[in-house]
Amino acid sequence: MNQVNRVATLERVSSFLKRNHGLYIDGGWISAQSTDTLPIFDPSTGQQISTTIDANAYDVERAVTSAHKAFVSGVWSRRLPAERERILLRYADLLEQHAEELAQLETLEQGKSINVSRAFEVACTLNWMRYTAGLATKISGRTLDLSISVPEGARYTAYTRKEPVGVVAGIVPWNFPLMIGMWKVMPALAAGCSIVIKPSEITPLTLMRMAELATEAGVPAGVFNVVTGNGAVCGKTLTSHPLISKISFTGSTATGKGIARSAIDRLTRITLELGGKNPAIVLKDADPKQVVEGLMMASFLNQGQVCAASSRIYVEAPIFDQLVGDFESAVKGLSIGAGMDPTSQINAVASKAHQRKVESYLAEANALNAELIRGSAAPNNEGFYVSPTLVINPDDDLSLTRDEVFGPVVTLTRVADAEEALAKANDTEYGLTASLWTNSLSTAMDLTPRIEAGTVWVNSHTLIDANMPFGGFKQSGTGRDFGVDWLDAFTETKSVCIRH
Ligand code: NDP
């Protein structure tokens, strides 16, 4: 790494990494029964930087029991909404005060640029926290006129109440561990639920720190618990626990389907935010500069490890060659290096296993003579780097054309017209996001309803907002996060019918 540009690690961050970590249960750190541990690596060097507990079933049981006890006690669930809101706003203020610490922890365990950690992950998390805190005081039902006519002369009035669903299990992936973690914690707490959260085993540190800040903000003991561990034992025990009333899962489609199958046995409420293979349709009247700027960001932000990333770009024939040239210049101009170096634009991917997976897609494409345009070479160290890569006009049967690669790899395909682009864009089992690039309003209004995706951007891609619902069509998931109705997924509707 270029040591001159490296951001100095805060003393608070260094000492947090060195701690003898436990599990966050009942408002504090406790020693686990499990003696197994998990190493945490800095993806930019491949070196171990911390160690966490690999929780066993007994440890998970303690966390769920603590959350359940807190829930039934009413210490949080029956608190005045304005008090919950005030504590959650204080919680957001604490993140703001500790912004640099959280940004550094995120970059050190996940690999992404410190610029992205500061300006996107921490800054957006703050926005979402404040938005969601405000939802705590907006929970409401309806009054209902009824037509029940027995016994004769009786009259009835009913109303609906939204009540917190109970104990939530939050399962978090490794690409945006802080932000996605708080997308589970905040709506759960705003609704009055308790939560047990399991971060990805490779990126648990930011959520562990956020648990401490929650207690400091005034969230009562037991309401917010963190168990660290692997998916097969810790994740599975948590999501299949009978005291869990709701699962909020973000991760791969394969894992999500497995959890959904087990949830159906107990009819546990479930929201699934899953994978994507997101198309961008570029029509010949689009502004090429806007397209290249927008889609370079949308394809390579966080090394393409973004569920909403544009990973398939379909370009109308008349501007295809020009755009390929522009993308090639842009990709070859990207500098590669450590996330803690703010001048590096492409950083390491999150793990050695993921680096191998992404490279195996590229090796297959290379072996089958696909046209690959690769950016600068990775630094010469043990870090988990993958050069940013464009794949030009790939065959449909290449694995990387159909699978979610989740890396710095994007395909560019020439299409005859908008109809061919639309057919190819929709020819996937996924349906998370898409974008359409055109200067024609009527074309945009005609095509957007025909694109099978939960979010469609026109002349942009990957821009999300707390007030805009987000979720997938088809196998990209079920349910929606964000927006004014977000807490519906963390509440049950109770009808109360009164005879008078
Ligand atoms: P995984 O599905 O591999 O893992 C997600 C989480 O599930 C991890 O915490 C994992 O633990 C846990 N897990 C694994 N197996 C089980 C199990 N049997 N029971 C309970 N929990 C389990 O996804 P990744 O972490 O690899 O994340 C990348 C994926 O997430 C991509 O497909 C991406 O598209 C998707 N994603 C979707 C988003 C959306 O909003 N739609 C947003 C961001 C990402 P462990 O780490 O120990 O394996």
Side-chain angles (χ1 to χ4, degrees):
M1 178 190 329
N2 184 341
Q3 294 298 338
V4 179
N5 295 327
R6 192 193 155 90
V7 170
T9 308
L10 295 174
E11 177 48 39
R12 282 199 301 278
V13 172
S14 305
S15 55
F16 187 81
L17 295 175
K18 286 187 206 127
R19 275 199 211 167
N20 196 5
H21 292 294
L23 304 173
Y24 204 84
I25 296 176
D26 235 351
W29 294 109
I30 63 156
S31 302
Q33 184 199 59
S34 169
T35 52
D36 294 336
T37 56
L38 291 164
I40 307 299
F41 295 100
D42 174 351
S44 74
T45 60
Q47 303 298 307
Q48 185 173 344
I49 52 169
S50 195
T51 305
T52 56
I53 295 291
D54 190 4
N56 64 20
Y58 175 82
D59 297 321
V60 175
E61 177 71 35
R62 283 174 76 181
V64 176
T65 305
S66 159
H68 187 254
K69 205 169 125 211
F71 181 73
V72 296
S73 76
V75 64
W76 184 248
S77 56
R78 290 200 289 279
R79 198 127 179 187
L80 286 180
E83 288 173 9
R84 291 206 303 271
E85 181 184 61
R86 200 161 46 242
I87 289 169
L88 294 178
L89 287 172
R90 198 182 303 145
Y91 188 23
D93 291 345
L94 282 171
L95 171 58
E96 194 164 40
Q97 286 161 27
H98 293 269
E100 179 63 14
E101 180 187 343
L102 269 301
Q104 291 195 8
L105 272 178
E106 176 80 17
T107 290
L108 286 169
E109 69 174 335
Q110 202 276 339
K112 65 170 62 86
S113 165
I114 188 70
N115 303 328
V116 175
S117 291
R118 288 172 179 158
F120 185 72
E121 183 125 16
V122 172
C124 289
T125 302
L126 262 175
N127 288 344
W128 259 273
M129 287 179 80
R130 291 183 170 133
Y131 179 91
T132 322
L135 295 180
T137 49
K138 316 293 179 296
I139 298 168
S140 57
R142 291 181 170 185
T143 56
L144 310 165
D145 282 354
L146 303 183
S147 303
I148 301 171
S149 59
V150 288
E152 200 176 341
R155 287 288 177 270
Y156 299 85
T157 298
Y159 62 94
T160 55
R161 289 175 46 75
K162 296 276 186 191
E163 300 184 351
V165 66
V167 181
V168 175
I171 306 283
V172 184
W174 47 255
N175 59 335
F176 290 100
L178 169 66
M179 188 165 69
I180 295 176
M182 296 315 289
W183 290 347
K184 305 186 180 315
V185 171
M186 288 301 291
L189 298 190
C193 299
S194 299
I195 186 163
V196 180
I197 198 138
K198 190 204 93 63
S200 164
E201 64 187 90
I202 60 174
T203 55
L205 301 175
T206 45
L207 279 178
M208 291 162 62
R209 183 70 182 106
M210 288 305 286
E212 297 180 327
L213 295 184
T215 302
E216 194 177 328
V219 174
V223 171
F224 178 1
N225 308 274
V226 182
V227 285
T228 54
N230 69 71
V233 175
C234 176
K236 198 168 178 191
T237 309
L238 177 60
T239 51
S240 55
H241 197 289
L243 291 178
I244 294 295
S245 302
K246 152 93 187 171
I247 300 164
S248 176
F249 173 83
T250 302
S252 63
T253 295
T255 307
K257 282 182 186 174
I259 293 174
R261 270 184 218 107
S262 125
I264 203 84
D265 273 350
R266 294 166 307 286
L267 293 178
T268 310
R269 284 23 176 177
I270 187 162
T271 305
L272 299 170
E273 296 287 354
L274 307 178
K277 185 70 180 172
N278 310 300
I281 298 174
V282 183
L283 301 184
K284 58 179 183 276
D285 64 350
D287 173 350
K289 187 164 176 283
Q290 199 179 47
V291 169
V292 176
E293 271 175 21
L295 288 179
M296 280 296 293
M297 190 277 287
S299 305
F300 295 109
L301 176 77
N302 196 16
Q303 293 57 255
Q305 301 163 120
V306 180
C307 56
S310 50
S311 53
R312 301 180 285 148
I313 304 177
Y314 298 108
V315 187
E316 255 192 310
I319 58 165
F320 182 75
D321 290 337
Q322 180 202 337
L323 272 191
V324 169
D326 292 349
F327 273 104
E328 177 169 359
S329 307
V331 163
K332 290 195 163 156
L334 292 172
S335 58
I336 308 191
M340 290 294 268
D341 172 357
T343 63
S344 299
Q345 294 159 303
I346 289 283
N347 318 108
V349 298
S351 68
K352 183 87 195 157
H354 193 56
Q355 178 197 31
R356 288 202 183 111
K357 182 176 160 192
V358 177
E359 286 292 2
S360 74
Y361 279 111
L362 293 170
E364 184 206 56
N366 207 22
L368 295 174
N369 296 320
E371 184 183 349
L372 304 183
I373 299 175
R374 304 208 69 174
S376 322
N380 189 16
N381 70 7
E382 295 299 309
F384 313 141
Y385 294 94
V386 178
S387 299
T389 306
L390 304 173
V391 189
I392 311 301
N393 286 317
D395 286 341
D396 283 347
D397 53 1
L398 268 189
S399 305
L400 63 73
T401 356
R402 308 205 70 80
D403 294 359
E404 182 187 40
V405 177
F406 218 56
V409 178
V410 60
T411 63
L412 282 151
T413 303
R414 183 196 303 265
V415 289
D417 53 24
E419 287 304 319
E420 186 188 356
L422 191 66
K424 285 185 182 298
N426 286 337
D427 181 20
T428 170
E429 65 192 21
Y430 295 111
L432 191 59
T433 74
S435 62
L436 177 64
W437 300 77
T438 176
N439 276 322
S440 162
L441 179 63
S442 58
T443 305
M445 297 304 284
D446 175 39
L447 291 185
T448 44
R450 299 170 63 198
I451 297 174
E452 297 164 3
T455 300
V456 179
W457 290 279
V458 177
N459 295 326
S460 64
H461 195 123
T462 315
L463 303 176
I464 53 175
D465 188 280
N467 200 33
M468 184 167 74
F470 186 83
F473 281 23
K474 303 196 278 189
Q475 295 195 33
S476 286
T478 169
R480 293 291 177 272
D481 281 343
F482 319 159
V484 290
D485 300 323
W486 197 1
L487 299 197
D488 286 357
F490 294 83
T491 53
E492 292 281 15
T493 300
K494 178 180 282 176
S495 293
V496 180
C497 179
I498 299 171
R499 179 180 167 183
H500 51 92

